[in-house]
PDB file of all heavy atoms in Angstrom:
ATOM      1  N   LEU A  56     158.858 -34.784 183.286  1.00 98.00           N
ATOM      2  CA  LEU A  56     159.528 -35.571 182.250  1.00 98.00           C
ATOM      3  C   LEU A  56     158.541 -35.762 181.119  1.00 98.00           C
ATOM      4  O   LEU A  56     157.480 -36.355 181.299  1.00 98.00           O
ATOM      5  CB  LEU A  56     159.949 -36.937 182.818  1.00 98.00           C
ATOM      6  CG  LEU A  56     160.423 -37.970 181.780  1.00 98.00           C
ATOM      7  CD1 LEU A  56     161.679 -37.511 181.045  1.00 98.00           C
ATOM      8  CD2 LEU A  56     160.664 -39.326 182.451  1.00 98.00           C
ATOM      9  N   VAL A  81     162.932 -36.605 176.737  1.00 98.00           N
ATOM     10  CA  VAL A  81     163.568 -37.628 175.911  1.00 98.00           C
ATOM     11  C   VAL A  81     162.436 -38.326 175.144  1.00 98.00           C
ATOM     12  O   VAL A  81     161.328 -38.468 175.671  1.00 98.00           O
ATOM     13  CB  VAL A  81     164.364 -38.641 176.772  1.00 98.00           C
ATOM     14  CG1 VAL A  81     163.471 -39.412 177.733  1.00 98.00           C
ATOM     15  CG2 VAL A  81     165.162 -39.605 175.897  1.00 98.00           C
ATOM     16  N   GLY A  83     159.871 -40.602 174.153  1.00 98.00           N
ATOM     17  CA  GLY A  83     159.258 -41.729 174.851  1.00 98.00           C
ATOM     18  C   GLY A  83     159.220 -41.575 176.370  1.00 98.00           C
ATOM     19  O   GLY A  83     158.750 -42.468 177.076  1.00 98.00           O
ATOM     20  N   ASN A  84     159.698 -40.419 176.872  1.00 98.00           N
ATOM     21  CA  ASN A  84     159.608 -40.094 178.311  1.00 98.00           C
ATOM     22  C   ASN A  84     159.807 -41.278 179.268  1.00 98.00           C
ATOM     23  O   ASN A  84     158.973 -41.552 180.118  1.00 98.00           O
ATOM     24  CB  ASN A  84     158.279 -39.357 178.637  1.00 98.00           C
ATOM     25  CG  ASN A  84     157.045 -39.944 177.979  1.00 98.00           C
ATOM     26  OD1 ASN A  84     156.604 -39.477 176.917  1.00 98.00           O
ATOM     27  ND2 ASN A  84     156.488 -40.984 178.573  1.00 98.00           N
ATOM     28  N   PHE A  85     160.960 -41.923 179.126  1.00 98.00           N
ATOM     29  CA  PHE A  85     161.338 -42.987 180.075  1.00 98.00           C
ATOM     30  C   PHE A  85     162.475 -42.453 180.944  1.00 98.00           C
ATOM     31  O   PHE A  85     162.989 -41.353 180.691  1.00 98.00           O
ATOM     32  CB  PHE A  85     161.780 -44.254 179.324  1.00 98.00           C
ATOM     33  CG  PHE A  85     162.896 -44.029 178.352  1.00 98.00           C
ATOM     34  CD1 PHE A  85     164.218 -44.001 178.771  1.00 98.00           C
ATOM     35  CD2 PHE A  85     162.629 -43.815 177.002  1.00 98.00           C
ATOM     36  CE1 PHE A  85     165.251 -43.772 177.883  1.00 98.00           C
ATOM     37  CE2 PHE A  85     163.667 -43.561 176.104  1.00 98.00           C
ATOM     38  CZ  PHE A  85     164.972 -43.544 176.554  1.00 98.00           C
ATOM     39  N   VAL A  86     162.853 -43.201 181.967  1.00 98.00           N
ATOM     40  CA  VAL A  86     163.987 -42.757 182.787  1.00 98.00           C
ATOM     41  C   VAL A  86     165.209 -43.642 182.566  1.00 98.00           C
ATOM     42  O   VAL A  86     165.088 -44.825 182.275  1.00 98.00           O
ATOM     43  CB  VAL A  86     163.662 -42.747 184.309  1.00 98.00           C
ATOM     44  CG1 VAL A  86     162.786 -41.557 184.654  1.00 98.00           C
ATOM     45  CG2 VAL A  86     163.044 -44.047 184.783  1.00 98.00           C
ATOM     46  N   ASN A  87     166.368 -43.024 182.691  1.00 97.00           N
ATOM     47  CA  ASN A  87     167.626 -43.756 182.793  1.00 97.00           C
ATOM     48  C   ASN A  87     168.394 -43.104 183.942  1.00 97.00           C
ATOM     49  O   ASN A  87     167.866 -42.221 184.631  1.00 97.00           O
ATOM     50  CB  ASN A  87     168.398 -43.735 181.471  1.00 97.00           C
ATOM     51  CG  ASN A  87     168.771 -42.332 181.046  1.00 97.00           C
ATOM     52  OD1 ASN A  87     168.652 -41.384 181.818  1.00 97.00           O
ATOM     53  ND2 ASN A  87     169.221 -42.187 179.819  1.00 97.00           N
ATOM     54  N   GLU A  88     169.617 -43.522 184.136  1.00 98.00           N
ATOM     55  CA  GLU A  88     170.412 -43.009 185.250  1.00 98.00           C
ATOM     56  C   GLU A  88     170.550 -41.478 185.200  1.00 98.00           C
ATOM     57  O   GLU A  88     170.477 -40.808 186.237  1.00 98.00           O
ATOM     58  CB  GLU A  88     171.802 -43.653 185.157  1.00 98.00           C
ATOM     59  CG  GLU A  88     172.637 -43.533 186.388  1.00 98.00           C
ATOM     60  CD  GLU A  88     173.972 -44.250 186.199  1.00 98.00           C
ATOM     61  OE1 GLU A  88     174.567 -44.172 185.096  1.00 98.00           O
ATOM     62  OE2 GLU A  88     174.408 -44.891 187.152  1.00 98.00           O
ATOM     63  N   ASP A  89     170.728 -40.951 184.004  1.00 98.00           N
ATOM     64  CA  ASP A  89     170.937 -39.497 183.876  1.00 98.00           C
ATOM     65  C   ASP A  89     169.665 -38.712 184.182  1.00 98.00           C
ATOM     66  O   ASP A  89     169.702 -37.665 184.834  1.00 98.00           O
ATOM     67  CB  ASP A  89     171.430 -39.164 182.456  1.00 98.00           C
ATOM     68  CG  ASP A  89     172.696 -39.929 182.117  1.00 98.00           C
ATOM     69  OD1 ASP A  89     173.606 -39.955 182.961  1.00 98.00           O
ATOM     70  OD2 ASP A  89     172.763 -40.525 181.025  1.00 98.00           O
ATOM     71  N   ILE A  90     168.542 -39.232 183.705  1.00 98.00           N
ATOM     72  CA  ILE A  90     167.261 -38.536 183.980  1.00 98.00           C
ATOM     73  C   ILE A  90     166.935 -38.647 185.466  1.00 98.00           C
ATOM     74  O   ILE A  90     166.475 -37.680 186.081  1.00 98.00           O
ATOM     75  CB  ILE A  90     166.122 -39.139 183.131  1.00 98.00           C
ATOM     76  CG1 ILE A  90     166.489 -39.059 181.644  1.00 98.00           C
ATOM     77  CG2 ILE A  90     164.792 -38.465 183.446  1.00 98.00           C
ATOM     78  CD1 ILE A  90     165.877 -37.986 180.827  1.00 98.00           C
ATOM     79  N   LEU A  91     167.183 -39.823 186.050  1.00 98.00           N
ATOM     80  CA  LEU A  91     166.935 -39.981 187.497  1.00 98.00           C
ATOM     81  C   LEU A  91     167.830 -39.032 188.293  1.00 98.00           C
ATOM     82  O   LEU A  91     167.373 -38.408 189.261  1.00 98.00           O
ATOM     83  CB  LEU A  91     167.180 -41.428 187.940  1.00 98.00           C
ATOM     84  CG  LEU A  91     166.104 -42.430 187.507  1.00 98.00           C
ATOM     85  CD1 LEU A  91     166.551 -43.846 187.840  1.00 98.00           C
ATOM     86  CD2 LEU A  91     164.763 -42.131 188.161  1.00 98.00           C
ATOM     87  N   MET A  94     166.348 -35.661 188.130  1.00 98.00           N
ATOM     88  CA  MET A  94     165.167 -35.556 189.003  1.00 98.00           C
ATOM     89  C   MET A  94     165.566 -35.449 190.471  1.00 98.00           C
ATOM     90  O   MET A  94     164.948 -34.716 191.244  1.00 98.00           O
ATOM     91  CB  MET A  94     164.276 -36.785 188.831  1.00 98.00           C
ATOM     92  CG  MET A  94     163.541 -36.833 187.509  1.00 98.00           C
ATOM     93  SD  MET A  94     162.633 -38.397 187.374  1.00 98.00           S
ATOM     94  CE  MET A  94     161.586 -38.010 185.976  1.00 98.00           C
ATOM     95  N   VAL A 106     156.994 -34.795 190.869  1.00 98.00           N
ATOM     96  CA  VAL A 106     157.590 -35.355 189.653  1.00 98.00           C
ATOM     97  C   VAL A 106     156.429 -35.827 188.794  1.00 98.00           C
ATOM     98  O   VAL A 106     155.656 -36.695 189.218  1.00 98.00           O
ATOM     99  CB  VAL A 106     158.532 -36.537 189.956  1.00 98.00           C
ATOM    100  CG1 VAL A 106     158.986 -37.206 188.662  1.00 98.00           C
ATOM    101  CG2 VAL A 106     159.741 -36.075 190.756  1.00 98.00           C
ATOM    102  N   VAL A 108     155.404 -37.537 185.221  1.00 98.00           N
ATOM    103  CA  VAL A 108     155.803 -38.222 183.989  1.00 98.00           C
ATOM    104  C   VAL A 108     154.663 -38.015 183.001  1.00 98.00           C
ATOM    105  O   VAL A 108     153.534 -38.457 183.239  1.00 98.00           O
ATOM    106  CB  VAL A 108     156.045 -39.728 184.230  1.00 98.00           C
ATOM    107  CG1 VAL A 108     156.424 -40.415 182.913  1.00 98.00           C
ATOM    108  CG2 VAL A 108     157.130 -39.939 185.272  1.00 98.00           C
ATOM    109  N   LYS A 135     163.862 -49.335 175.219  1.00 97.00           N
ATOM    110  CA  LYS A 135     163.455 -48.952 176.571  1.00 97.00           C
ATOM    111  C   LYS A 135     161.937 -48.868 176.697  1.00 97.00           C
ATOM    112  O   LYS A 135     161.395 -48.872 177.797  1.00 97.00           O
ATOM    113  CB  LYS A 135     164.059 -47.589 176.934  1.00 97.00           C
ATOM    114  CG  LYS A 135     165.527 -47.422 176.580  1.00 97.00           C
ATOM    115  CD  LYS A 135     166.399 -47.622 177.796  1.00 97.00           C
ATOM    116  CE  LYS A 135     167.887 -47.632 177.513  1.00 97.00           C
ATOM    117  NZ  LYS A 135     168.428 -46.639 176.605  1.00 97.00           N
ATOM    118  N   ASN A 167     153.417 -47.116 179.475  1.00 98.00           N
ATOM    119  CA  ASN A 167     154.809 -46.640 179.540  1.00 98.00           C
ATOM    120  C   ASN A 167     154.976 -45.599 180.651  1.00 98.00           C
ATOM    121  O   ASN A 167     155.974 -45.607 181.376  1.00 98.00           O
ATOM    122  CB  ASN A 167     155.211 -46.070 178.174  1.00 98.00           C
ATOM    123  CG  ASN A 167     156.647 -45.587 178.137  1.00 98.00           C
ATOM    124  OD1 ASN A 167     157.563 -46.305 178.535  1.00 98.00           O
ATOM    125  ND2 ASN A 167     156.852 -44.362 177.686  1.00 98.00           N
ATOM    126  N   MET A 170     154.829 -47.553 183.975  1.00 98.00           N
ATOM    127  CA  MET A 170     156.050 -48.333 184.200  1.00 98.00           C
ATOM    128  C   MET A 170     157.239 -47.415 184.490  1.00 98.00           C
ATOM    129  O   MET A 170     158.136 -47.771 185.262  1.00 98.00           O
ATOM    130  CB  MET A 170     156.332 -49.239 182.991  1.00 98.00           C
ATOM    131  CG  MET A 170     155.301 -50.357 182.876  1.00 98.00           C
ATOM    132  SD  MET A 170     155.484 -51.366 181.372  1.00 98.00           S
ATOM    133  CE  MET A 170     156.777 -52.497 181.890  1.00 98.00           C
ATOM    134  N   THR A 171     157.229 -46.236 183.889  1.00 98.00           N
ATOM    135  CA  THR A 171     158.294 -45.267 184.181  1.00 98.00           C
ATOM    136  C   THR A 171     158.221 -44.830 185.646  1.00 98.00           C
ATOM    137  O   THR A 171     159.245 -44.705 186.324  1.00 98.00           O
ATOM    138  CB  THR A 171     158.190 -44.051 183.229  1.00 98.00           C
ATOM    139  OG1 THR A 171     158.402 -44.511 181.895  1.00 98.00           O
ATOM    140  CG2 THR A 171     159.210 -42.985 183.558  1.00 98.00           C
ATOM    141  N   ILE A 172     156.996 -44.635 186.141  1.00 98.00           N
ATOM    142  CA  ILE A 172     156.831 -44.269 187.562  1.00 98.00           C
ATOM    143  C   ILE A 172     157.345 -45.409 188.454  1.00 98.00           C
ATOM    144  O   ILE A 172     158.058 -45.163 189.435  1.00 98.00           O
ATOM    145  CB  ILE A 172     155.353 -43.926 187.856  1.00 98.00           C
ATOM    146  CG1 ILE A 172     154.996 -42.607 187.165  1.00 98.00           C
ATOM    147  CG2 ILE A 172     155.098 -43.843 189.356  1.00 98.00           C
ATOM    148  CD1 ILE A 172     153.529 -42.255 187.216  1.00 98.00           C
ATOM    149  N   ASP A 173     157.012 -46.644 188.097  1.00 98.00           N
ATOM    150  CA  ASP A 173     157.551 -47.793 188.857  1.00 98.00           C
ATOM    151  C   ASP A 173     159.082 -47.775 188.841  1.00 98.00           C
ATOM    152  O   ASP A 173     159.723 -48.022 189.861  1.00 98.00           O
ATOM    153  CB  ASP A 173     157.070 -49.122 188.241  1.00 98.00           C
ATOM    154  CG  ASP A 173     155.588 -49.361 188.476  1.00 98.00           C
ATOM    155  OD1 ASP A 173     155.014 -48.695 189.368  1.00 98.00           O
ATOM    156  OD2 ASP A 173     155.007 -50.209 187.763  1.00 98.00           O
ATOM    157  N   ASN A 174     159.647 -47.486 187.672  1.00 98.00           N
ATOM    158  CA  ASN A 174     161.115 -47.469 187.554  1.00 98.00           C
ATOM    159  C   ASN A 174     161.731 -46.359 188.405  1.00 98.00           C
ATOM    160  O   ASN A 174     162.806 -46.544 188.979  1.00 98.00           O
ATOM    161  CB  ASN A 174     161.537 -47.304 186.087  1.00 98.00           C
ATOM    162  CG  ASN A 174     161.222 -48.538 185.263  1.00 98.00           C
ATOM    163  OD1 ASN A 174     161.063 -49.633 185.797  1.00 98.00           O
ATOM    164  ND2 ASN A 174     161.110 -48.366 183.950  1.00 98.00           N
ATOM    165  N   ILE A 175     161.047 -45.209 188.476  1.00 98.00           N
ATOM    166  CA  ILE A 175     161.554 -44.113 189.332  1.00 98.00           C
ATOM    167  C   ILE A 175     161.606 -44.602 190.778  1.00 98.00           C
ATOM    168  O   ILE A 175     162.606 -44.436 191.472  1.00 98.00           O
ATOM    169  CB  ILE A 175     160.645 -42.859 189.212  1.00 98.00           C
ATOM    170  CG1 ILE A 175     160.763 -42.249 187.815  1.00 98.00           C
ATOM    171  CG2 ILE A 175     161.017 -41.831 190.285  1.00 98.00           C
ATOM    172  CD1 ILE A 175     159.741 -41.148 187.515  1.00 98.00           C
ATOM    173  N   ARG A 176     160.496 -45.222 191.230  1.00 98.00           N
ATOM    174  CA  ARG A 176     160.443 -45.685 192.632  1.00 98.00           C
ATOM    175  C   ARG A 176     161.465 -46.791 192.898  1.00 98.00           C
ATOM    176  O   ARG A 176     162.068 -46.844 193.966  1.00 98.00           O
ATOM    177  CB  ARG A 176     159.030 -46.182 192.962  1.00 98.00           C
ATOM    178  CG  ARG A 176     158.028 -45.037 193.033  1.00 98.00           C
ATOM    179  CD  ARG A 176     156.617 -45.536 193.279  1.00 98.00           C
ATOM    180  NE  ARG A 176     155.702 -44.402 193.394  1.00 98.00           N
ATOM    181  CZ  ARG A 176     154.466 -44.391 192.916  1.00 98.00           C
ATOM    182  NH1 ARG A 176     153.976 -45.456 192.304  1.00 98.00           N
ATOM    183  NH2 ARG A 176     153.707 -43.318 193.071  1.00 98.00           N
ATOM    184  N   ASP A 178     164.329 -47.436 191.151  1.00 98.00           N
ATOM    185  CA  ASP A 178     165.736 -47.148 190.843  1.00 98.00           C
ATOM    186  C   ASP A 178     166.268 -45.884 191.502  1.00 98.00           C
ATOM    187  O   ASP A 178     167.454 -45.573 191.359  1.00 98.00           O
ATOM    188  CB  ASP A 178     165.928 -47.050 189.318  1.00 98.00           C
ATOM    189  CG  ASP A 178     165.610 -48.373 188.628  1.00 98.00           C
ATOM    190  OD1 ASP A 178     165.660 -49.408 189.310  1.00 98.00           O
ATOM    191  OD2 ASP A 178     165.303 -48.363 187.421  1.00 98.00           O
TER     192      ASP A 178
END
Side-chain angles (χ1 to χ4, degrees):
L56 169 63
V81 62
N84 44 264
F85 56 83
V86 285
N87 61 12
E88 195 178 40
D89 303 314
I90 303 258
L91 287 172
M94 288 175 167
V106 173
V108 179
K135 315 260 173 43
N167 181 50
M170 291 174 82
T171 297
I172 290 172
D173 289 343
N174 291 339
I175 292 170
R176 290 177 178 142
D178 297 338

